[in-house]
Amino acid sequence: MNGNVQEAHQAMDRLHEMLEEQTRRLSDTVHSEAGQLLSAVLLRLDQLALELPSDCGDCFHEIRLMIEQIEEQLRDLSNELLPRMLDDLGLIPALECLVERTSRRTGADIRLNSSIADRLPAALEATLYRIVQEALTNIAKHARATQVEIHLWQDDRVHCAVRDDGIGFDSDRILQKKGERGLGLAGIRERVESQGGALAIRSLPGHGTEVLVSVPRRV
Amino acid sequence: MSIGVLFADDHPIFREGLKVFLEKSQFRVIGECADGFQALKLAEQLRPDIVLLDLSMPRLNGLDAVREILQVSPRTRAIMLTAHREEPYVLEALRSGAKGYVLKAEGGPILVEAIREVCRGNVYLSPSISRSVVEAYLTRRGMSDEILRPREIEVLRLIADGHTSREIAGHLQIRVKVAESYRTSLMEKLDIHDTANLVRYAVRRGLVKP
Ligand SMILES: Nc1ncnc2c1ncn2[C@@H]1O[C@H](COP(=O)(O)OP(=O)(O)OP(=O)(O)O)[C@@H](O)[C@H]1O
Ligand SMILES: [Mg+2]
């Protein structure tokens, strides 16, 4: 590879790592710090309830419910940023949860198929999670799909394919411009290429979309 | 005598609240700590009736801690006390030998009920998760069944490097029995039942050099 291009890829790779690290910290702060504090508040409240006159019951329950709601919102936010499960249990369980949330939201039938039985390097798991997350977000936003399949497998590289039966799009034309809010497909491609991988999109209006990614498995 | 409880959680403010609450609820708090590794050491020393464990903790996470605690203190019963409500966590906890799973936000009364039930020899799941877990169980067997956890991968790597269970135990500072239980569980997960094929698997996955 040309030296300058390689340098640029390395710089991009580092930038992504930094961003990911910052997101992880944010997610952790929201979940561990704020969330745990709320759990402690709830425990204290329960303790207070043991000593409270019984006519305060209704008010107490209202307060408790409100705090539970805050806790739930923080948990969702933290999951949206970066799910802890990715670290704790790995890519596949984290994807299972993402799939479940997305199919509940969109009503699409989403199948996850993986022949990867062990953990991958953390940076690779995060990248693959982001890819599937962006692909599913796109499907929810644009595709109007009823069936979605996600496949993961590995040889010396790790491969990921996300296929939908939605309205499709003119991928050659659209991929020139960058996404507006999220990483967008262009951002995903940048990230994948900076890790020495490749991204391909096969889509035709009316014939669904397939996003194909392969990334070398570096430990 | 009242029920002796040990708990591990890496958040000091939560620990403080938990301690006061447990004592007010007539339990005997016999120890507390901030990570799974300390929990293991304390459990071996104090043999609590109940150990309450957070899931994500430094050094040794709650899931691996459960398994190892049950080996060093077989009469102890473990309850996960966590903010995570996703079903893969619950299933993994039960598979590791936990007898209870309680969400932190569900708070005091539920926790008291959980401790009592688990002490009676029952399994207890928080009301708001038990339904989703049963549904998951009925509709499919999670694919994450076959996923190895970090500790299992360490053991696999050591097996593939030719170490005996005794050596692995020494290396990871765990009991020989615990090392053997990891060997059994990873063989079951991978559906590979002899060492030669385990080694081949580890090489193929890049865990060890051929
Ligand atoms: N699965 C899909 N089905 C149909 N159209 C798609 C699909 N994925 C992407 N597209 C089309 O490709 C365009 C570019 O997608 P991209 O993810 O880069 O940006 P975006 O989703 O519009 O914005 P962002 O991702 O930044 O929020 C989309 O606007 C949409 O028209
Ligand atoms: Mg998009």
Side-chain angles (χ1 to χ4, degrees):
Chain A
M1 210 191 299
N2 177 314
N4 277 338
V5 175
Q6 197 166 2
E7 250 169 56
H9 275 174
Q10 276 167 2
M12 193 59 85
D13 205 12
R14 269 199 306 279
L15 190 65
H16 281 132
E17 254 166 46
M18 260 166 55
L19 274 175
E20 199 62 70
E21 184 48 42
Q22 226 158 49
T23 312
R24 181 187 305 268
R25 255 207 310 265
L26 252 178
S27 166
D28 251 23
T29 308
V30 170
H31 170 86
S32 315
E33 303 304 319
Q36 299 270 37
L37 203 56
L38 283 180
S39 303
V41 169
L42 286 171
L43 258 186
R44 285 290 163 102
L45 269 182
D46 290 340
Q47 181 193 323
L48 199 65
L50 297 175
E51 294 152 17
L52 225 54
S54 56
D55 56 347
C56 299
D58 284 351
C59 177
F60 171 81
H61 276 294
E62 263 170 47
I63 296 176
R64 201 177 195 293
L65 274 179
M66 285 189 277
I67 298 176
E68 277 178 40
Q69 273 168 24
I70 301 174
E71 196 263 350
E72 193 177 321
Q73 284 165 11
L74 288 181
R75 195 154 26 77
D76 287 349
L77 175 61
S78 159
N79 264 331
E80 199 68 36
L81 288 166
L82 189 77
R84 266 308 271 265
M85 198 184 292
L86 204 49
D87 264 352
D88 290 338
L89 300 179
L91 178 65
I92 304 303
L95 286 180
E96 280 176 352
C97 287
L98 177 66
V99 161
E100 200 183 300
R101 279 200 302 275
T102 314
S103 52
R104 220 179 310 130
R105 213 176 55 217
T106 62
D109 177 20
I110 309 177
R111 302 271 159 95
L112 175 64
N113 255 300
S114 162
S115 58
I116 300 178
D118 50 346
R119 297 291 302 268
L120 301 168
L124 186 53
E125 287 196 332
T127 300
L128 289 165
Y129 185 86
R130 291 290 180 223
I131 292 165
V132 177
Q133 192 178 34
E134 175 61 29
L136 289 183
T137 307
N138 279 347
I139 289 170
K141 273 203 305 196
H142 313 295
R144 280 179 258 154
T146 55
Q147 298 277 339
V148 181
E149 274 176 33
I150 305 166
H151 291 276
L152 284 155
W153 71 100
Q154 66 177 348
D155 32 50
D156 53 331
R157 297 159 84 83
V158 180
H159 305 264
C160 172
V162 184
R163 210 172 292 141
D164 71 63
D165 66 348
I167 58 170
F169 67 109
D170 183 350
S171 50
D172 287 342
R173 198 173 56 80
I174 285 185
L175 270 186
Q176 304 305 324
K177 70 169 179 77
K178 303 224 160 164
E180 284 131 35
R181 279 181 336 109
L183 262 183
L185 290 170
I188 291 288
R189 167 169 282 163
E190 227 164 56
R191 179 163 176 168
V192 164
E193 286 177 354
S194 79
Q195 298 194 6
L199 174 140
I201 291 163
R202 290 196 215 128
S203 185
L204 275 177
H207 292 274
T209 300
E210 180 175 39
V211 177
L212 256 169
V213 167
S214 70
V215 191
R217 199 205 138 107
R218 280 181 314 208
V219 187
Chain B
M1 204 167 56
S2 67
I3 298 169
V5 180
L6 165 70
F7 62 84
D9 193 295
D10 57 345
H11 204 273
I13 297 175
F14 183 77
R15 264 202 323 272
E16 211 179 297
L18 185 58
K19 179 164 190 210
V20 176
F21 182 84
L22 289 171
E23 280 167 352
K24 285 244 157 127
S25 308
Q26 315 299 319
F27 296 113
R28 207 157 35 92
V29 175
I30 58 176
E32 60 168 275
C33 56
D35 66 57
F37 191 71
Q38 289 176 48
L40 177 60
K41 295 289 151 214
L42 284 177
E44 178 161 27
Q45 199 183 317
L46 304 169
R47 305 292 165 109
D49 300 305
I50 291 286
V51 58
L52 304 174
L53 294 164
D54 192 8
L55 271 179
S56 338
M57 288 187 293
R59 299 221 275 173
L60 191 62
N61 74 41
L63 295 171
D64 287 324
V66 170
R67 195 193 297 250
E68 298 187 15
I69 285 173
L70 296 180
Q71 292 285 344
V72 299
S73 177
R75 300 259 286 271
T76 296
R77 297 199 165 102
I79 298 174
M80 309 312 297
L81 180 57
T82 167
H84 296 291
R85 62 182 63 219
E86 294 91 345
E87 144 240 321
Y89 279 117
V90 184
L91 295 181
E92 194 62 47
L94 294 175
R95 236 179 259 136
S96 301
K99 292 288 181 237
Y101 197 103
V102 175
L103 296 174
K104 282 180 175 171
E106 280 186 324
I110 297 283
L111 180 60
V112 171
E113 198 176 309
I115 296 177
R116 298 246 157 83
E117 281 301 309
V118 167
C119 274
R120 283 193 203 108
N122 299 323
V123 171
Y124 187 96
L125 303 180
S126 272
S128 70
I129 53 170
S130 52
R131 215 186 72 207
S132 70
V133 169
V134 172
E135 274 168 9
Y137 186 80
L138 291 176
T139 51
R140 73 199 155 92
R141 215 173 107 87
M143 246 186 336
S144 28
D145 283 1
E146 296 96 48
I147 304 295
L148 300 186
R149 290 215 313 280
R151 203 71 160 171
E152 289 166 338
I153 290 175
E154 274 181 84
V155 171
L156 175 58
R157 191 176 281 138
L158 290 166
I159 292 174
D161 268 339
H163 294 285
T164 63
S165 292
R166 182 168 301 278
E167 288 164 348
I168 293 170
H171 207 86
L172 300 177
Q173 290 186 293
I174 55 180
R175 296 281 173 102
V176 178
K177 267 203 302 194
V178 181
E180 274 162 4
S181 91
Y182 277 120
R183 179 193 280 262
T184 314
S185 80
L186 71 89
M187 282 178 155
E188 263 166 28
K189 278 189 181 177
L190 298 173
D191 199 20
I192 297 177
H193 300 279
D194 60 286
T195 310
N197 275 317
L198 267 188
V199 174
R200 226 161 282 145
Y201 174 86
V203 171
R204 209 167 57 234
R205 287 290 176 255
L207 294 173
V208 288
K209 300 238 152 45

